[in-house]
Amino acid sequence: MSRRKIVAGNWKMNMTPAKAVELIAVLSPVVASDDVDVVFCVPSISIIPAVAAVKGTKIAIGAQNMYMADSGAFTGEISAPMLVDAGVSYVIIGHSERREYFAESDVMVNQKVLKAFEYGLTPIICCGETLTQREQGITIDFVRQQIKIALLGVSSEQVKKAVIAYEPIWAIGTGKVATTEQAQEVCAAIRVLISELYDEAVAAAVRIQYGGSVTAETAADLFTQVDIDGGLVGGASLKPDFGKIVNY
Ligand code: PEP
């Protein structure tokens, strides 16, 4: 089965709302593609102007996080219905920076994934090992556990629409990109896990991205691996080079 590629930019905590609109004007023409889904995951304060700025293009706007309740006394948080109302279609869940700096657990990731599906948002579910875990030889066990928990209670129809981003923590923002073999090995293992949890058809439908210091130079080799369906891109998504990554 051929899966449509998806390349998402994770802008992290960069760009004011005004700068976001300027950057979208620069990036929109260079990321245009008929073959690849393109998503800009912008800071929450820039979501509304970003949705307006991509109008008339095929670019989708994503959020970088959301909370697992619909509403209530959760100061500073943003909910799935708020994202939907603002015109968001994707949401990154369980990015390693959220896990590390904001103590997001696998259980919270699962709750957020379920909530995203409940509201029709496509979660980009992040997983990935530390350098120590890779050196200990437990990468695949660790990633399997993260994904197994993230998908608890998720139906096969839902999981088919999910995007999973394999992002080795040691490769994020470090300039150290995983080799194509390392990235393919883990993405293939994630697909095997999905076929065990669901079935082959579901596993064949799920899109799995690689993320971690992807550049215009490394994108083509990574994104043409059999189990890699595109990328989640941090630093390089803020530059015109992002167009080269999308059109690898
Ligand atoms: C990320 O934050 O998801 C990421 C992959 O960052 P970078 O491309 O900068 O390593």
Side-chain angles (χ1 to χ4, degrees):
M1 129 157 233
S2 81
R3 290 175 296 272
R4 201 172 150 80
K5 301 279 180 187
I6 175 163
V7 178
N10 174 12
W11 289 19
K12 310 197 186 196
M13 197 177 70
N14 292 298
M15 302 287 147
T16 61
K19 287 249 162 36
V21 170
E22 281 172 25
L23 182 61
I24 289 172
V26 172
L27 292 182
S28 295
V30 294
V31 301
S33 168
D34 288 331
D35 308 316
V36 177
D37 289 339
V38 178
V39 187
F40 295 161
C41 298
V42 302
S44 45
I45 196 166
S46 296
I47 285 172
I48 290 175
V51 167
V54 298
K55 207 159 182 236
T57 75
K58 292 184 185 154
I59 300 162
I61 295 300
Q64 299 173 12
N65 178 38
M66 60 168 227
Y67 199 61
M68 55 281 211
D70 288 346
S71 62
F74 303 103
T75 303
E77 292 292 327
I78 289 186
S79 70
M82 292 174 190
L83 295 179
V84 171
D85 187 66
V88 165
S89 29
Y90 292 84
V91 57
I92 299 174
I93 305 278
H95 190 280
S96 60
E97 288 153 15
R98 299 287 325 164
R99 293 176 188 260
E100 183 177 350
Y101 306 134
F102 303 96
E104 278 196 16
S105 65
D106 287 328
V107 170
M108 288 166 75
V109 169
N110 175 240
Q111 290 169 333
K112 291 181 178 195
V113 168
L114 292 170
K115 190 54 76 176
F117 279 123
E118 186 184 324
Y119 281 90
L121 290 163
T122 299
I124 300 177
I125 307 167
C126 299
C127 60
E129 81 289 2
T130 62
L131 187 56
T132 308
Q133 288 163 333
R134 177 157 285 275
E135 286 168 357
Q136 289 168 335
I138 59 167
T139 295
I140 290 181
D141 293 327
F142 182 75
V143 167
R144 277 177 63 94
Q145 170 159 316
Q146 284 184 315
I147 295 300
K148 233 174 168 170
I149 299 172
L151 296 180
L152 284 173
V154 176
S155 72
S156 50
E157 281 318 300
Q158 289 171 327
V159 81
K160 273 187 195 167
K161 295 187 203 125
V163 177
I164 295 178
Y166 165 56
E167 299 205 302
I169 295 171
W170 49 271
I172 296 180
T174 57
K176 273 188 215 159
V177 62
T179 64
T180 48
E181 292 76 19
Q182 287 171 327
Q184 163 57 25
E185 184 194 21
V186 181
C187 292
I190 293 169
R191 209 175 294 288
V192 168
L193 170 67
I194 310 259
S195 72
E196 289 167 16
L197 295 174
Y198 299 89
D199 60 37
E200 295 274 337
V202 173
V206 176
R207 295 190 288 180
I208 304 178
Q209 298 174 314
Y210 166 79
S213 298
V214 173
T215 61
E217 288 70 45
T218 54
D221 271 353
L222 288 160
F223 299 173
T224 51
Q225 299 299 304
V226 282
D227 288 297
I228 303 182
D229 308 309
L232 181 56
V233 182
S237 71
L238 295 164
K239 301 179 199 141
D241 250 21
F242 190 53
K244 292 192 195 141
I245 296 177
V246 169
N247 291 294
Y248 65 91

